[in-house]
Amino acid sequence: MRVTRTLRATVGAALTGALLLSASGAAHADSVRSNQWPLTAFDAEQLWASATGKGVTVAVLDGGFRETHQDLTGQFVTGKNFANTSQGDGSDSLADGEDIRDHGTAMAGIIAGHGHGPDGSQGLKGLAPEAKIMPVPTYKNAAAATRWAAEHGADVINMSFIETQSTDICPAIHYALEKGAVVVAGVGNDAVTDKEYPAACPGAIGVGAVDEFGEASDSNNYNSTLDLLAPGVKIPVAMGKSDADYRTADGSSAATAYVSAAAALLKEKFPDLTPGQIANRLVKTAGLAQAEKDKNLKLPDAHYGYGYIQPGPALRRDIPAGPAAGPLPMPEGKASKTPVVAGADKGQDPDPPMGGKKAVLLYGGIGLGVVIVLGVVIGGVALVRRRSNAGSQSWG
């Protein structure tokens, strides 16, 4: 059963797309934190003793951002607007009640929200709360935005959208990898085997959603581009309509943001690792629920990739750095030794024509509803609950 409804829209990064948003009520800020089951599952307080994302910049390519949200004030560095094009910014196609800033704000909060109130104890807390967000509003300029972010200090690039393959998006990701940026992209939420871009570009970490039981979301696209799973079901998020707006999200966009945040933690602790070596740590420490272990899956699996991320082990275990390219396919088998020249594939045109290429913006595969108490285990034990058909598993 699909967890989101699809609303047609033209919003995106070098794309025409489908906005996957469905809203039905707001959450109170004081209930948001208690419902952030990923923080409990990851034992975030223990994680933050090792790394908080300090000194790391995560570029978020998205529709827009509410930089004044109470859980995100002070978290943004200077970005660039690639959404102000001759074809508009896509806001004309938003459904009633949607804000162009919703999705980007949600992703930023998952990555680097700091909460508010006494000691930041209320509202949205990101997995890498001391990372900085580079806001890159993007419309019909995905490749140019990626290159710009890589050239201006992005350590991690979050791409929570999918698009039809173009001639320039994979070279742009190749360029970002050469600059040392980890590139993370959602695989899509259509429950099909289609390979979508940018997740299908060599070197990008393709991400799908998993619930608190360690079960892959039924809505994930499933194929060889799925590398890792991360929390993407019933995720509290900050929203863009006001400085105190929250909802609940589902989909590979939220999961992508969690992997970007985990990469930010690793970039802080292991600043000399290449993007491939960061991916290696995430892959080598990925987990599976007992039900999947019992199936003896051949990894990477089309539905589970290498498993769900476990940031704690990724930070703490003694893992050899390994080859620079890491375990994932890289451009031409490895990162090229010859840097790609920014804009070389498209000349100096900052807004190349689409040429009939269509694309789909995940905008999270983000389904929004009333925040529900998830009933995750409490205390310092990083275990998640158990379904009748799935054993418990450690995320820590």
Side-chain angles (χ1 to χ4, degrees):
M1 181 177 179
R2 297 296 302 279
V3 295
T4 59
R5 293 177 294 170
T6 301
L7 304 174
R8 300 305 301 176
T10 53
V11 179
L15 7 142
T16 301
L19 188 64
L20 304 179
L21 289 169
S22 174
S24 59
H28 296 294
D30 56 2
S31 69
V32 171
R33 184 66 57 80
S34 62
N35 293 330
Q36 283 193 265
W37 66 265
L39 296 187
T40 303
F42 290 143
D43 195 0
E45 292 294 337
Q46 183 178 358
L47 280 183
W48 296 330
S50 298
T52 58
K54 188 174 183 179
V56 178
T57 298
V58 181
V60 180
L61 277 57
D62 222 292
F65 305 85
R66 190 177 189 93
E67 297 185 25
T68 57
H69 194 285
Q70 61 186 349
D71 296 339
L72 283 164
T73 55
Q75 295 299 81
F76 292 89
V77 299
T78 301
K80 184 173 180 177
N81 189 351
F82 285 83
N84 185 18
T85 72
S86 60
Q87 300 183 59
D89 63 0
S91 58
D92 290 345
S93 298
L94 293 174
D96 291 343
E98 294 173 347
D99 190 293
I100 193 68
R101 298 166 294 180
D102 280 341
H103 190 268
T105 305
M107 300 303 101
I110 288 172
I111 296 167
H114 54 47
H116 65 276
D119 297 321
S121 60
Q122 299 175 14
L124 218 294
K125 193 77 173 277
L127 185 62
E130 291 196 274
K132 293 296 184 181
I133 299 296
M134 178 186 289
V136 189
T138 312
Y139 183 65
K140 300 184 185 299
N141 278 306
T146 299
R147 294 178 191 277
W148 185 90
E151 290 171 346
H152 289 80
D155 300 297
V156 181
I157 299 178
N158 186 87
M159 308 177 82
S160 290
F161 56 84
I162 60 177
E163 67 175 7
T164 301
Q165 184 182 14
S166 64
T167 59
D168 45 1
I169 187 60
C170 289
I173 287 175
H174 187 185
Y175 179 69
L177 294 169
E178 289 292 332
K179 288 286 189 179
V182 179
V183 179
V184 189
V187 297
N189 305 304
D190 295 315
V192 295
T193 60
D194 298 352
K195 293 182 179 181
E196 304 285 4
Y197 291 80
C201 289
I205 300 174
V207 182
V210 69
D211 67 13
E212 69 267 34
F213 307 107
E215 296 298 314
S217 171
D218 290 339
S219 66
N220 289 337
N221 288 356
Y222 52 98
N223 51 59
S224 62
T225 68
L226 176 59
D227 299 310
L228 292 165
L229 298 174
V233 179
K234 296 182 181 178
I235 306 298
V237 293
M239 296 294 281
K241 293 179 186 176
S242 75
D243 291 344
D245 188 17
Y246 304 93
R247 295 290 189 276
T248 301
D250 296 291
S252 58
S253 275
T256 300
Y258 271 113
V259 173
S260 290
L265 298 178
L266 291 170
K267 288 287 280 188
E268 177 192 353
K269 186 166 183 180
F270 305 103
D272 296 329
L273 293 187
T274 67
Q277 290 166 340
I278 294 292
N280 182 55
R281 279 193 163 265
L282 293 170
V283 164
K284 290 289 178 63
T285 55
L288 290 170
Q290 189 60 50
E292 277 58 60
K293 290 180 180 179
D294 292 342
K295 295 176 184 177
N296 296 315
L297 299 177
K298 182 179 179 181
L299 302 181
D301 177 75
H303 293 273
Y304 284 84
Y306 289 95
Y308 53 75
I309 61 168
Q310 298 188 105
L315 283 167
R316 295 189 294 266
R317 287 185 188 170
D318 183 9
I319 300 172
L328 308 180
M330 281 286 177
E332 299 180 0
K334 63 180 181 180
S336 170
K337 295 181 180 180
T338 304
V340 177
V341 178
D345 58 320
K346 282 292 182 180
Q348 298 303 313
D349 183 1
D351 185 18
M354 289 183 65
K357 303 186 196 72
K358 292 186 177 180
V360 180
L361 184 68
L362 279 188
Y363 257 79
I366 195 173
L368 301 173
V370 179
V371 173
I372 302 170
V373 176
L374 300 175
V376 294
V377 294
I378 60 176
V381 181
L383 297 175
V384 295
R385 296 178 303 171
R386 181 172 59 188
R387 283 179 177 170
S388 59
N389 64 342
S392 61
Q393 63 280 328
S394 172
W395 293 65

